[in-house]
Amino acid sequence: MTITGRSTMDGPAAVPTLRRVLGLPSLIAFGLTSMGILSVVAVYGAGTEISDGHLPAAYVAALVAMLFTAHSYGQMARHVPVTGGAYAYASRAFGSPVGFLVGWAMMLDYLFLPMVNFLLFGLYLNSLVPVIAPQLAVLLCLLVVGLFSVIGVAWIKKMNIVVVAASVLVILVFLVLAVVNAPDLSFDNLARPLTLGEGGIAPVMAAAAIVAFAFLGFDGVSTLSEETRNPQRDVPRGIILSTLFAGLGYTLFSVAGSLIAPEWRSIENLDAAGTELMQRAGGDVLMVVFVIVNLGGLVLCGTAAQMSVSRVIYAMGRDGILPGALARLHPRFRTPYFAATLVSAVSLIALVITLEQAVYMINFGALVAFAVVNLATIKVVFFDLRKRGTAGTMRNLVMPVLGFAFIAWLWTSLAWFTYLLGAAWLAVGAVIFLVRRRKSGGQVALTFDDSLVADEDALPAGPKPWEREGARRPGS
């Protein structure tokens, strides 16, 4: 596969490349920090109330459903191993206009996802140290994330692993203490939250529609293909495994919560259920440790989101659909520092908006990308590459259809304001695309050479010759 576009360098031989430093563990850690393992606390109260105390069952349903979309991302990452994620996949499947609009919708998701983390960081730090105003904490987090985004994945991958390990440890300690201190430990209290209640499947699925948004972020792994040593093998595995592990963590946390508070109506403040449950299980010490680890997780979750969007913007700048300056790489860290700085500037909006408004912005872009990637898998893998047969039909047709159906169902849970905002955002994107296309005098965005489309049956594993650092791509 080759990508053609405008080079931002002075000569054709000087082709800047991202640095290939990531392996499978780093990708899994990146995916987990993108989702935020401890983000389960943000929806614990609402999810428990809607499911009538059956939150673990809702998480299991959401995990199974989201794995279908994660599978589609993995399939496309295997066959289109370039940075850009859904933008690149939609361009390969449906052409430049659709690809750009999907990438533009992704930016609505990725631009505001860091802001959600900044706002949560401000709230948590203020609760821990009341003398620090929330807005000051938001600004501090924004500046740190901006710095981390420029430093790049080679440095951040180690921090991701540390924070993921600490988050897993907190969940395990919480689970153990919940078992030890459970007011009524019995098999019934352990199994009941994982089953259907008196209301049947409806409350569980309604809660699943809410908690499914906790999985937003696994797709960020797909934007790191050009920074992964073996992208066709490790990026699909990283996407699937990070989604699976996050779902397991969410489920374990919610099971522990149901043990320590079997009657969910006894929770005094459902909006702050996480800290209350931690205090019930392990006292003030566990609660403070939880808040500190969660603060670190919020910083790296914001970093992961900002790195993802900066790479989408970088890909669009490299392809000529956005200004070429956005494709500049830092001379030392070889990261898209110009795009990352732009994202930091936009993120200053977090100082004047509410958490609820930021969440509205995220959902539209994420669901657009998820839906189109499922359809792109069917188009590229099932029809174009003819990966059929019994197993191929299941993997490349049935599973993407199921993934698309669940995402389509999630659309029904969005507020009307989300649709209005999304339509306006896409309209702006369409105008930008038409203006850029007219100025360029023709084709813009990704152009694929189908004779070189990655096929795991025809090409050996590992980076291909045109993917190695410093190598020129065919046709460039």
Side-chain angles (χ1 to χ4, degrees), residues 246-288:
L248 178 61
Y250 298 154
T251 304
L252 287 177
F253 185 97
S254 55
V255 167
S258 65
L259 287 176
I260 202 68
E263 177 47 60
W264 63 268
R265 293 178 181 84
S266 68
I267 300 175
E268 295 180 7
N269 185 357
L270 285 175
D271 292 334
T275 52
E276 184 175 335
L277 292 173
M278 288 289 174
Q279 193 166 33
R280 286 194 189 189
D284 290 340
V285 173
L286 183 60
M287 183 190 70
V288 171

Short mmCIF file of all heavy atoms in Angstrom, two decimals, residues 246-288:
data_model
loop_
_atom_site.label_atom_id
_atom_site.label_comp_id
_atom_site.label_asym_id
_atom_site.label_seq_id
_atom_site.Cartn_x
_atom_site.Cartn_y
_atom_site.Cartn_z
N ALA A 246 -9.93 -3.91 29.58
CA ALA A 246 -10.70 -2.80 30.16
C ALA A 246 -12.08 -3.30 30.61
O ALA A 246 -12.54 -2.97 31.72
CB ALA A 246 -10.85 -1.67 29.16
N GLY A 247 -12.72 -4.08 29.77
CA GLY A 247 -14.03 -4.64 30.12
C GLY A 247 -13.96 -5.51 31.37
O GLY A 247 -14.85 -5.48 32.23
N LEU A 248 -12.88 -6.29 31.47
CA LEU A 248 -12.69 -7.13 32.66
C LEU A 248 -12.52 -6.27 33.90
O LEU A 248 -13.09 -6.54 34.97
CB LEU A 248 -11.47 -8.03 32.47
CG LEU A 248 -11.10 -8.95 33.63
CD1 LEU A 248 -12.24 -9.93 33.92
CD2 LEU A 248 -9.81 -9.73 33.33
N GLY A 249 -11.71 -5.19 33.79
CA GLY A 249 -11.52 -4.29 34.92
C GLY A 249 -12.80 -3.61 35.34
O GLY A 249 -13.12 -3.51 36.54
N TYR A 250 -13.59 -3.12 34.36
CA TYR A 250 -14.86 -2.49 34.67
C TYR A 250 -15.80 -3.46 35.40
O TYR A 250 -16.47 -3.10 36.38
CB TYR A 250 -15.56 -2.02 33.39
CG TYR A 250 -14.81 -0.97 32.60
CD1 TYR A 250 -15.01 -0.85 31.22
CD2 TYR A 250 -13.94 -0.08 33.21
CE1 TYR A 250 -14.35 0.12 30.48
CE2 TYR A 250 -13.27 0.89 32.48
CZ TYR A 250 -13.47 0.98 31.11
OH TYR A 250 -12.82 1.94 30.38
N THR A 251 -15.84 -4.69 34.90
CA THR A 251 -16.74 -5.69 35.49
C THR A 251 -16.33 -6.04 36.91
O THR A 251 -17.18 -6.12 37.82
CB THR A 251 -16.77 -6.96 34.62
OG1 THR A 251 -17.15 -6.61 33.28
CG2 THR A 251 -17.77 -7.97 35.17
N LEU A 252 -15.02 -6.23 37.14
CA LEU A 252 -14.54 -6.55 38.48
C LEU A 252 -14.84 -5.42 39.46
O LEU A 252 -15.25 -5.66 40.61
CB LEU A 252 -13.04 -6.85 38.45
CG LEU A 252 -12.61 -8.18 37.83
CD1 LEU A 252 -11.10 -8.30 37.81
CD2 LEU A 252 -13.23 -9.35 38.61
N PHE A 253 -14.63 -4.18 39.01
CA PHE A 253 -14.91 -3.04 39.88
C PHE A 253 -16.39 -3.01 40.25
O PHE A 253 -16.75 -2.79 41.42
CB PHE A 253 -14.51 -1.74 39.20
CG PHE A 253 -14.66 -0.52 40.08
CD1 PHE A 253 -13.56 -0.02 40.76
CD2 PHE A 253 -15.89 0.11 40.22
CE1 PHE A 253 -13.69 1.10 41.58
CE2 PHE A 253 -16.03 1.23 41.04
CZ PHE A 253 -14.92 1.71 41.71
N SER A 254 -17.25 -3.20 39.26
CA SER A 254 -18.69 -3.13 39.53
C SER A 254 -19.15 -4.29 40.40
O SER A 254 -20.07 -4.14 41.21
CB SER A 254 -19.48 -3.06 38.22
OG SER A 254 -19.16 -4.15 37.37
N VAL A 255 -18.53 -5.47 40.25
CA VAL A 255 -18.85 -6.60 41.12
C VAL A 255 -18.45 -6.28 42.56
O VAL A 255 -19.21 -6.52 43.51
CB VAL A 255 -18.14 -7.89 40.65
CG1 VAL A 255 -18.21 -8.97 41.73
CG2 VAL A 255 -18.77 -8.40 39.37
N ALA A 256 -17.24 -5.71 42.74
CA ALA A 256 -16.78 -5.33 44.07
C ALA A 256 -17.72 -4.28 44.67
O ALA A 256 -18.04 -4.33 45.87
CB ALA A 256 -15.36 -4.78 44.00
N GLY A 257 -18.17 -3.33 43.84
CA GLY A 257 -19.09 -2.32 44.33
C GLY A 257 -20.40 -2.91 44.80
O GLY A 257 -20.97 -2.48 45.82
N SER A 258 -20.89 -3.91 44.07
CA SER A 258 -22.16 -4.54 44.47
C SER A 258 -22.00 -5.37 45.74
O SER A 258 -22.97 -5.57 46.48
CB SER A 258 -22.68 -5.43 43.33
OG SER A 258 -21.80 -6.51 43.08
N LEU A 259 -20.78 -5.84 46.02
CA LEU A 259 -20.55 -6.58 47.26
C LEU A 259 -20.49 -5.66 48.47
O LEU A 259 -21.05 -5.97 49.52
CB LEU A 259 -19.24 -7.38 47.16
CG LEU A 259 -19.23 -8.61 46.26
CD1 LEU A 259 -17.84 -9.23 46.20
CD2 LEU A 259 -20.24 -9.65 46.76
N ILE A 260 -19.80 -4.53 48.31
CA ILE A 260 -19.65 -3.62 49.44
C ILE A 260 -20.92 -2.81 49.67
O ILE A 260 -21.18 -2.32 50.79
CB ILE A 260 -18.43 -2.68 49.23
CG1 ILE A 260 -17.93 -2.14 50.57
CG2 ILE A 260 -18.75 -1.55 48.27
CD1 ILE A 260 -17.31 -3.18 51.46
N ALA A 261 -21.74 -2.65 48.62
CA ALA A 261 -23.02 -1.95 48.76
C ALA A 261 -24.09 -2.74 48.01
O ALA A 261 -24.54 -2.33 46.94
CB ALA A 261 -22.91 -0.52 48.21
N PRO A 262 -24.49 -3.90 48.56
CA PRO A 262 -25.47 -4.76 47.86
C PRO A 262 -26.81 -4.05 47.62
O PRO A 262 -27.49 -4.36 46.65
CB PRO A 262 -25.62 -5.96 48.79
CG PRO A 262 -25.12 -5.50 50.12
CD PRO A 262 -24.07 -4.49 49.84
N GLU A 263 -27.17 -3.13 48.48
CA GLU A 263 -28.36 -2.31 48.26
C GLU A 263 -27.89 -0.96 47.74
O GLU A 263 -27.48 -0.08 48.50
CB GLU A 263 -29.14 -2.15 49.56
CG GLU A 263 -30.36 -1.25 49.46
CD GLU A 263 -31.23 -1.56 48.24
OE1 GLU A 263 -31.72 -2.69 48.13
OE2 GLU A 263 -31.39 -0.65 47.38
N TRP A 264 -27.93 -0.79 46.40
CA TRP A 264 -27.33 0.39 45.79
C TRP A 264 -28.01 1.69 46.22
O TRP A 264 -27.40 2.76 46.20
CB TRP A 264 -27.35 0.26 44.26
CG TRP A 264 -28.71 0.20 43.63
CD1 TRP A 264 -29.42 -0.93 43.33
CD2 TRP A 264 -29.52 1.30 43.20
NE1 TRP A 264 -30.62 -0.61 42.76
CE2 TRP A 264 -30.71 0.76 42.65
CE3 TRP A 264 -29.35 2.68 43.22
CZ2 TRP A 264 -31.72 1.56 42.14
CZ3 TRP A 264 -30.36 3.48 42.72
CH2 TRP A 264 -31.54 2.92 42.18
N ARG A 265 -29.25 1.61 46.67
CA ARG A 265 -29.94 2.83 47.11
C ARG A 265 -29.36 3.38 48.40
O ARG A 265 -29.67 4.52 48.79
CB ARG A 265 -31.43 2.53 47.29
CG ARG A 265 -32.16 2.22 45.97
CD ARG A 265 -33.62 1.89 46.21
NE ARG A 265 -34.31 1.57 44.95
CZ ARG A 265 -34.30 0.38 44.38
NH1 ARG A 265 -33.62 -0.61 44.95
NH2 ARG A 265 -34.93 0.16 43.25
N SER A 266 -28.51 2.58 49.07
CA SER A 266 -27.89 3.07 50.31
C SER A 266 -26.71 4.00 50.03
O SER A 266 -26.20 4.66 50.95
CB SER A 266 -27.40 1.88 51.15
OG SER A 266 -26.32 1.21 50.51
N ILE A 267 -26.26 4.08 48.77
CA ILE A 267 -25.16 4.98 48.41
C ILE A 267 -25.68 6.42 48.50
O ILE A 267 -26.67 6.78 47.85
CB ILE A 267 -24.64 4.68 46.99
CG1 ILE A 267 -24.11 3.24 46.92
CG2 ILE A 267 -23.54 5.65 46.60
CD1 ILE A 267 -23.69 2.81 45.53
N GLU A 268 -25.02 7.23 49.32
CA GLU A 268 -25.51 8.58 49.61
C GLU A 268 -25.44 9.49 48.38
O GLU A 268 -26.35 10.29 48.13
CB GLU A 268 -24.70 9.19 50.76
CG GLU A 268 -24.89 8.45 52.09
CD GLU A 268 -24.09 9.08 53.20
OE1 GLU A 268 -23.50 10.16 52.97
OE2 GLU A 268 -24.06 8.51 54.30
N ASN A 269 -24.36 9.41 47.63
CA ASN A 269 -24.19 10.29 46.47
C ASN A 269 -23.80 9.45 45.26
O ASN A 269 -22.64 9.06 45.13
CB ASN A 269 -23.13 11.35 46.76
CG ASN A 269 -23.00 12.38 45.63
OD1 ASN A 269 -23.68 12.28 44.60
ND2 ASN A 269 -22.14 13.36 45.81
N LEU A 270 -24.75 9.16 44.40
CA LEU A 270 -24.46 8.31 43.24
C LEU A 270 -23.47 8.96 42.29
O LEU A 270 -22.73 8.27 41.59
CB LEU A 270 -25.76 7.98 42.50
CG LEU A 270 -26.67 6.94 43.16
CD1 LEU A 270 -27.97 6.81 42.38
CD2 LEU A 270 -25.98 5.60 43.28
N ASP A 271 -23.43 10.29 42.23
CA ASP A 271 -22.50 10.98 41.35
C ASP A 271 -21.05 10.79 41.80
O ASP A 271 -20.13 10.88 40.98
CB ASP A 271 -22.82 12.47 41.28
CG ASP A 271 -24.15 12.74 40.57
OD1 ASP A 271 -24.53 11.90 39.73
OD2 ASP A 271 -24.78 13.77 40.85
N ALA A 272 -20.84 10.57 43.09
CA ALA A 272 -19.50 10.34 43.63
C ALA A 272 -19.41 8.95 44.24
O ALA A 272 -18.77 8.74 45.28
CB ALA A 272 -19.16 11.41 44.66
N ALA A 273 -20.05 7.99 43.58
CA ALA A 273 -20.13 6.63 44.14
C ALA A 273 -18.76 5.99 44.29
O ALA A 273 -18.52 5.24 45.23
CB ALA A 273 -21.02 5.76 43.25
N GLY A 274 -17.84 6.28 43.36
CA GLY A 274 -16.53 5.63 43.40
C GLY A 274 -15.78 5.89 44.69
O GLY A 274 -15.30 4.95 45.35
N THR A 275 -15.69 7.17 45.10
CA THR A 275 -14.97 7.49 46.32
C THR A 275 -15.68 6.95 47.55
O THR A 275 -15.05 6.51 48.51
CB THR A 275 -14.79 9.01 46.45
OG1 THR A 275 -16.08 9.65 46.31
CG2 THR A 275 -13.87 9.54 45.37
N GLU A 276 -17.01 6.96 47.53
CA GLU A 276 -17.76 6.43 48.68
C GLU A 276 -17.55 4.93 48.83
O GLU A 276 -17.37 4.42 49.94
CB GLU A 276 -19.25 6.73 48.51
CG GLU A 276 -20.09 6.30 49.71
CD GLU A 276 -21.55 6.72 49.59
OE1 GLU A 276 -21.83 7.71 48.88
OE2 GLU A 276 -22.40 6.08 50.22
N LEU A 277 -17.55 4.20 47.72
CA LEU A 277 -17.32 2.75 47.77
C LEU A 277 -15.91 2.44 48.25
O LEU A 277 -15.71 1.50 49.04
CB LEU A 277 -17.56 2.14 46.38
CG LEU A 277 -19.00 2.16 45.87
CD1 LEU A 277 -19.05 1.67 44.42
CD2 LEU A 277 -19.90 1.29 46.75
N MET A 278 -14.93 3.20 47.77
CA MET A 278 -13.56 3.00 48.21
C MET A 278 -13.43 3.23 49.72
O MET A 278 -12.74 2.48 50.42
CB MET A 278 -12.62 3.95 47.45
CG MET A 278 -12.39 3.59 46.01
SD MET A 278 -11.37 2.10 45.85
CE MET A 278 -11.44 1.85 44.07
N GLN A 279 -14.11 4.23 50.23
CA GLN A 279 -14.04 4.53 51.64
C GLN A 279 -14.71 3.43 52.47
O GLN A 279 -14.22 3.06 53.54
CB GLN A 279 -14.69 5.88 51.94
CG GLN A 279 -14.41 6.42 53.33
CD GLN A 279 -14.78 7.87 53.45
OE1 GLN A 279 -15.74 8.33 52.84
NE2 GLN A 279 -14.03 8.63 54.25
N ARG A 280 -15.81 2.90 51.97
CA ARG A 280 -16.48 1.81 52.67
C ARG A 280 -15.59 0.57 52.72
O ARG A 280 -15.56 -0.15 53.73
CB ARG A 280 -17.79 1.44 51.96
CG ARG A 280 -18.92 2.43 52.14
CD ARG A 280 -20.22 1.80 51.69
NE ARG A 280 -21.33 2.74 51.62
CZ ARG A 280 -22.59 2.39 51.42
NH1 ARG A 280 -22.90 1.11 51.26
NH2 ARG A 280 -23.53 3.30 51.37
N ALA A 281 -14.87 0.32 51.65
CA ALA A 281 -14.07 -0.90 51.58
C ALA A 281 -12.75 -0.79 52.32
O ALA A 281 -12.35 -1.73 53.03
CB ALA A 281 -13.81 -1.28 50.12
N GLY A 282 -12.06 0.35 52.17
CA GLY A 282 -10.72 0.46 52.73
C GLY A 282 -10.44 1.71 53.51
O GLY A 282 -9.28 1.99 53.83
N GLY A 283 -11.48 2.48 53.82
CA GLY A 283 -11.28 3.68 54.61
C GLY A 283 -10.67 4.82 53.82
O GLY A 283 -10.56 4.77 52.58
N ASP A 284 -10.23 5.85 54.55
CA ASP A 284 -9.69 7.04 53.90
C ASP A 284 -8.41 6.76 53.12
O ASP A 284 -8.13 7.41 52.10
CB ASP A 284 -9.41 8.13 54.94
CG ASP A 284 -10.70 8.70 55.53
OD1 ASP A 284 -11.75 8.55 54.87
OD2 ASP A 284 -10.65 9.29 56.62
N VAL A 285 -7.62 5.79 53.59
CA VAL A 285 -6.35 5.49 52.91
C VAL A 285 -6.60 5.01 51.49
O VAL A 285 -5.99 5.52 50.53
CB VAL A 285 -5.54 4.43 53.70
CG1 VAL A 285 -4.31 4.00 52.90
CG2 VAL A 285 -5.13 4.97 55.06
N LEU A 286 -7.49 4.03 51.33
CA LEU A 286 -7.78 3.53 49.99
C LEU A 286 -8.42 4.60 49.13
O LEU A 286 -8.12 4.70 47.94
CB LEU A 286 -8.69 2.30 50.07
CG LEU A 286 -9.02 1.62 48.74
CD1 LEU A 286 -7.75 1.13 48.06
CD2 LEU A 286 -10.00 0.47 48.92
N MET A 287 -9.26 5.43 49.73
CA MET A 287 -9.91 6.49 48.96
C MET A 287 -8.88 7.49 48.42
O MET A 287 -8.93 7.88 47.25
CB MET A 287 -10.92 7.23 49.83
CG MET A 287 -11.71 8.29 49.07
SD MET A 287 -12.71 9.35 50.14
CE MET A 287 -11.42 10.28 50.97
N VAL A 288 -7.92 7.87 49.27
CA VAL A 288 -6.90 8.82 48.84
C VAL A 288 -6.00 8.20 47.77
O VAL A 288 -5.66 8.84 46.77
CB VAL A 288 -6.06 9.30 50.04
CG1 VAL A 288 -4.86 10.11 49.57
CG2 VAL A 288 -6.91 10.13 50.99
#
